[in-house]
Amino acid sequence: MALLVLAAVVALGTLVTAWAPSLGDGRSQVCRDRGVPYTPPDENWHTEATASWLPLGLACTWTDPATGDVLRQEPSWTPTLVIGVSVCLGLVGVTAVGRSRLGRDVAAHRSN
């Protein structure tokens, strides 16, 4: 049970960290503050930030008001991998503990 709780806490914490910047009024500012690979060619471009499911995180989209050109930057796959690994490890742990207890219960039942 402790392994399942730990896996859930890690998965939830990673999810919150990945999506936290996309909440609230300043989410477009997050995209503007990210740095060189995320900066549009001109500051007049319209910036929009959205939460992304796959990969988990904040996706930034810039649109040129003059030409309609669109530049999109997807989030990193790191949070998605962390959540996937923690959930898998939690399930493996729960399965191992369940099988161990089931084996003990069967052995105890046979000895009676």
Side-chain angles (χ1 to χ4, degrees), residues 73-84:
Q73 178 64 46
E74 297 293 332
S76 166
W77 277 93
T78 303
T80 306
L81 292 174
V82 169
I83 288 175

Side-chain angles (χ1 to χ4, degrees), residues 70-95:
V70 175
L71 178 67
R72 183 169 172 88
Q73 178 64 46
E74 297 293 332
S76 166
W77 277 93
T78 303
T80 306
L81 292 174
V82 169
I83 288 175
V85 167
S86 67
V87 167
C88 287
L89 288 175
L91 290 175
V92 166
V94 167
T95 302

Side-chain angles (χ1 to χ4, degrees), residues 26-108:
R27 58 188 186 174
S28 293
Q29 187 62 39
V30 171
C31 290
R32 290 186 203 107
D33 293 343
R34 279 192 168 173
V36 175
Y38 302 92
T39 304
D42 188 357
E43 290 196 20
N44 294 331
W45 287 38
H46 172 71
T47 306
E48 183 180 348
T50 55
S52 171
W53 278 98
L54 278 178
L56 290 171
L58 183 66
C60 297
T61 306
W62 293 275
T63 307
D64 184 353
T67 64
D69 291 341
V70 175
L71 178 67
R72 183 169 172 88
Q73 178 64 46
E74 297 293 332
S76 166
W77 277 93
T78 303
T80 306
L81 292 174
V82 169
I83 288 175
V85 167
S86 67
V87 167
C88 287
L89 288 175
L91 290 175
V92 166
V94 167
T95 302
V97 169
R99 282 189 172 197
S100 172
R101 286 190 176 189
L102 182 62
R104 277 190 248 147
D105 289 346
V106 168

